[in-house]
Amino acid sequence: MGFTVTAIREAPLVRYEKVGRLIPGDTDVIRMMLDGTGEIGVIPVTDLLLLFGGIAPDGVAMSESGNRVFLTRPMGQEYVVLTRQVRGMIRDWPKKKAALFVLKK
C-alpha cells in the first residue's frame, strides 16, 4: 500500500535546468563548461574551499541551507551547482564532475 506526502510549507515553484558541467582543470582550477558553447570561465579551487570554510569570495556564494553553490559571472549570469557534487569533485580530484544549472522561474 502506497502513501502520499503533502508539503506543509508554502514555497514558490523553483525549477533548475541543466546547462553544463564543472570539470577539473589542469592547475587547481575548475572549468565552467556550457553545453554547446564551451568554456565560459574558471573558478580557483581555493575559492570553493574558502566558501566551505565560511568565507565567500567574489562571484561565489552558498545558499542559506548550504545545499547549493551560486556562481555569478562578470556579465551577471548566475549558475547553481549542488554542494554535494562540488565536495565530491574536490575530494576525488580529477575524476568527478558536477552539473551546472540555471534557475528557471
Side-chain angles (χ1 to χ4, degrees), residues 2 5-6 16 22 35-37 42 45 60 65-66 68 79 90 94 98:
V5 177
T6 305
Y16 294 96
L22 295 182
D35 295 338
T37 303
V42 294
V45 173
V60 182
S65 66
R68 296 176 311 274
Y79 299 96
I90 292 170

Side-chain angles (χ1 to χ4, degrees), residues 9 16 61-70 81-83 87:
R9 160 179 90 98
Y16 294 96
M62 190 169 294
S63 67
E64 289 182 20
S65 66
N67 293 333
R68 296 176 311 274
V69 174
F70 299 106
V81 185
L82 297 176
T83 302
R87 287 181 190 269

Side-chain angles (χ1 to χ4, degrees), residues 33-96:
M33 305 292 285
L34 283 185
D35 295 338
T37 303
E39 185 174 317
I40 59 167
V42 294
I43 306 161
V45 173
T46 53
D47 283 1
L48 293 172
L49 293 175
L50 285 172
L51 180 68
F52 295 147
I55 301 170
D58 288 339
V60 182
M62 190 169 294
S63 67
E64 289 182 20
S65 66
N67 293 333
R68 296 176 311 274
V69 174
F70 299 106
L71 306 170
T72 306
R73 304 311 315 146
M75 298 295 281
Q77 307 96 333
E78 188 170 275
Y79 299 96
V80 180
V81 185
L82 297 176
T83 302
R84 184 188 66 200
Q85 289 185 353
V86 175
R87 287 181 190 269
M89 182 178 179
I90 292 170
R91 183 184 57 240
D92 296 333
W93 190 270
K95 298 177 186 176
K96 299 284 184 177

